[in-house]
Amino acid sequence: MSGAALLPFEFRPNPNPATDAERAAILADPGFGKTFTDHMVTIKWTEGVGWHSATVEPFGPIPMSPATAVLHYAQEIFEGMKAYNAADGSITMFRPEANARRFIESAHRMAMPELPEELFVESLRQLVRTDRAWIPSGEGSLYLRPFMFASEAFLGVRPAKEFLYCVIASPAGAYFKSGPKPISVYVSEEYTRAAPGGTGAAKCGGNYATSLLPQAQAIEQGCEQVVFLDAVHRKYVDELGGMNVFFVYGLDRTIVTPELGTILPGITRDAIFALARDFGYEVVERAYSIDEWRADAADGSLTEAFACGTAAVMTPIGMAKSVNGDIEVGGGKAGEVTMRLRQALLDIQHGAAEDTHGWITRIQ
Ligand SMILES: *Cc1c(COP(=O)(O)O)cnc(C)c1O
């Protein structure tokens, strides 16, 4: 690791950490995103100075001016990843350098400073080592949320001159307690999430803000998730609010997924390419229309569909509801290819299978 990009980290221990009993009660049923560990990482960026003041400090409120730029113009990006208690007793992460590179890409699109890859990975290592007692064992993991926002107090419209980068951590249980249940998705004909030239490929909070209304409509329609169509033709499948989507043609041994451009380049998506090829499936990235989805589900050539992302890993899609008629996939059941890929990915992530693709970083 090149030392140039690294800063010294100051350590300010939490004077009031959770007791062993409190932590054990949380880890017994952590849910998702509800509780946080004792510490967080902060690193500041100032124009003319660069990155400075890297600190591991007690998890707690961030004081800020009401004029802080992010509160007005949403200059903010984030990442999501997990740390695992591996089967051999070590602590691991799944492809953290890929998250680091994507964080740089997101920063570029949002006119924010680029956090060097090594500093990003080191910030995760610092927090996970400090709060290692918070990593659930078994199927759980410690969800890590790096994020960065414009912290300058200024109402003028231009890229900020001060930013704050933070990492917080939250214990996460097995996402599905009794195996993944197929979800229904609602095809939004009214709203889109990203247009060409927009911010669809950046992991920014603003993309999520605009997905909340269509997501609420999906829930109203009795679905778990919204699926967006492209903004130009309003017919090609983009992705869900926070997950990429795949279509399995079991008889052809082919897996189709929308090409990059307006969608978020998922790291789970990328890992599935490699695992699917290991299993002898061809992976095709191309525009995939809702009409194709409908016709191929009806004639049975489309055998499975699934969504993927770090938080839920892989989720079968049993049904797509749309104003033009519902689409049932694979009899509404979790597909065999989906479940095999999912297990293979989970086994690598949790250290139960050999890491043949070099995806695992040992951090302790
Ligand atoms: C984070 C995210 C994903 C999934 O990416 P992973 O790297 O697999 O976690 C998919 N879509 C959107 C919009 C996202 O923000």
Side-chain angles (χ1 to χ4, degrees), residues 78-81 99 102 143 145 193 200 202-204 207-208 239-245 262-270 308-313:
F78 67 95
E79 273 301 328
M81 53 218 303
N99 294 88
R102 188 168 66 189
Y143 184 80
R145 170 53 61 86
R193 73 172 286 280
K203 207 168 175 76
C204 61
N207 289 344
Y208 279 72
E239 60 170 313
L240 314 193
M243 281 190 270
N244 296 121
V245 61
T262 57
I263 64 168
L264 201 285
I267 295 161
T268 316
R269 173 183 181 274
D270 186 72
C308 68
T310 295
V313 189

Side-chain angles (χ1 to χ4, degrees), residues 73-120:
Y73 309 127
Q75 202 183 8
E76 188 268 355
I77 59 172
F78 67 95
E79 273 301 328
M81 53 218 303
K82 289 172 172 173
Y84 307 89
N85 263 325
D88 67 358
S90 60
I91 298 174
T92 61
M93 295 193 43
F94 184 74
R95 306 181 72 182
E97 65 294 333
N99 294 88
R101 284 195 291 271
R102 188 168 66 189
F103 201 63
I104 289 173
E105 297 294 318
S106 297
H108 175 72
R109 178 62 185 85
M110 302 297 283
M112 298 168 80
E114 296 173 10
L115 185 73
E117 193 177 313
E118 299 100 283
L119 189 50
F120 179 94

Side-chain angles (χ1 to χ4, degrees), residues 109-266:
R109 178 62 185 85
M110 302 297 283
M112 298 168 80
E114 296 173 10
L115 185 73
E117 193 177 313
E118 299 100 283
L119 189 50
F120 179 94
V121 176
E122 179 61 16
S123 71
L124 305 171
R125 194 180 282 123
Q126 292 274 344
L127 183 59
V128 173
R129 282 187 179 165
T130 305
D131 285 342
R132 60 172 300 166
W134 286 89
I135 310 175
S137 39
E139 288 185 27
S141 56
L142 186 63
Y143 184 80
L144 301 169
R145 170 53 61 86
F147 60 104
M148 186 202 334
F149 62 90
S151 54
E152 185 188 5
F154 179 61
L155 294 184
V157 179
R158 55 140 171 81
K161 296 184 178 185
E162 286 169 23
F163 290 87
L164 186 66
Y165 166 80
C166 299
V167 192
I168 55 175
S170 175
Y175 205 84
F176 301 98
K177 289 208 180 92
S178 46
K181 265 198 4 225
I183 59 165
S184 304
V185 297
Y186 177 67
V187 184
S188 183
E189 310 275 348
E190 192 176 354
Y191 299 109
T192 58
R193 73 172 286 280
T199 58
K203 207 168 175 76
C204 61
N207 289 344
Y208 279 72
T210 62
S211 76
L212 298 177
L213 175 60
Q215 171 65 25
Q217 291 180 333
I219 303 274
E220 262 169 42
Q221 297 297 322
C223 296
E224 282 85 358
Q225 291 282 332
V226 60
V227 59
F228 290 105
L229 302 179
D230 80 284
V232 176
H233 309 91
R234 308 293 281 250
K235 73 181 226 189
Y236 296 106
V237 176
D238 253 352
E239 60 170 313
L240 314 193
M243 281 190 270
N244 296 121
V245 61
F246 280 80
F247 301 92
V248 180
Y249 287 78
L251 300 174
D252 298 342
R253 295 184 78 78
T254 299
I255 295 182
V256 181
T257 195
E259 65 208 327
L260 295 180
T262 57
I263 64 168
L264 201 285

